[in-house]
Amino acid sequence: MWLINSSIGRKVVMSVTGMALILFMTFHCCMNIVALFSGEAYNMVCKLLGANWYAVVATAGLGALAVCHIVYAFLLTAQNRRARGAERYAVTERPDKVEWASQNMLVLGIIVLLGLALHLFNFWYNMMFAELVGMHTALEPTNGFGLIVETFKNKLYVVLYIIWIVALWFHLSHGFWSAMQTIGINGKVWFERWKIIGIVYVTLLMLAFLVVVLAFAFGRAPSLCCAA
């Protein structure tokens, strides 16, 4: 099957799964903004998206997309290394038109993957997973707001999340326009437009995540004031 065996097919799978994950991150960002202004409203969303069948199915689907994206990333990287052969060991100057993110997508991807593992441990493990298996936790599984507050009291987690967000920005800002190119946006005018749109969109998305982290880390979130 060309989606599995060919280089173009693998890039198409990478592009489609990547764009789907960006859409999920947009939804997740909107949830975080709710937490920024109202802990009660955020917990209502957490309860709605708890261990309900539709949330479990959606989570499984997202997990499948993420696994597919990661596996294909490693397949493409291995394929490119094989294609370069011994030339990959040659010391050469980086071409001016090749972005730093493009040269380091695998490293960025690994940082993103480690950040994802940390995030799943801090939140999904203590929320949906705990509710599904009936695991005892310090906070109620539906108390997502409390988990946010407790997580970002830990300054180490704050630093790790900031590193993760920065890596995500580099990874997504390159991945967005690269995906558009792969699926057929090849015209010079619209390619440049989509590149700008992608950078602006990803920048705003990552800034929103960063604002939430810093607001809770420094106790400046409006929802904390209301709770007090």
Side-chain angles (χ1 to χ4, degrees), residues 17 21 36 114 125 139 160 169:
T17 54
L21 291 170
L36 196 61
L114 292 173
Y125 176 75
L139 297 172
L160 291 176
W169 183 87

Side-chain angles (χ1 to χ4, degrees), residues 22 25 167-177 198 202 205-206:
I22 288 176
M25 290 185 66
L168 275 168
W169 183 87
F170 279 108
H171 190 78
L172 297 180
S173 60
H174 170 78
F176 188 100
W177 67 260
V202 169
L205 189 64
M206 293 301 104

Side-chain angles (χ1 to χ4, degrees), residues 11-12 14-19 22 69 172-186 191:
K11 288 180 180 178
V12 169
M14 280 278 293
S15 300
V16 173
T17 54
M19 295 304 291
I22 288 176
H69 190 78
L172 297 180
S173 60
H174 170 78
F176 188 100
W177 67 260
S178 180
M180 300 306 293
Q181 185 180 45
T182 298
I183 62 179
I185 308 298
N186 295 319
F191 175 71

Side-chain angles (χ1 to χ4, degrees), residues 11 31 39-40 51 54 56 83 91-92 134 136-137 156 168-169 184 214:
K11 288 180 180 178
M31 281 186 62
E40 183 179 353
Y54 47 84
V56 173
V91 178
T92 58
H136 177 74
T137 54
L156 176 60
L168 275 168
W169 183 87
L214 295 178

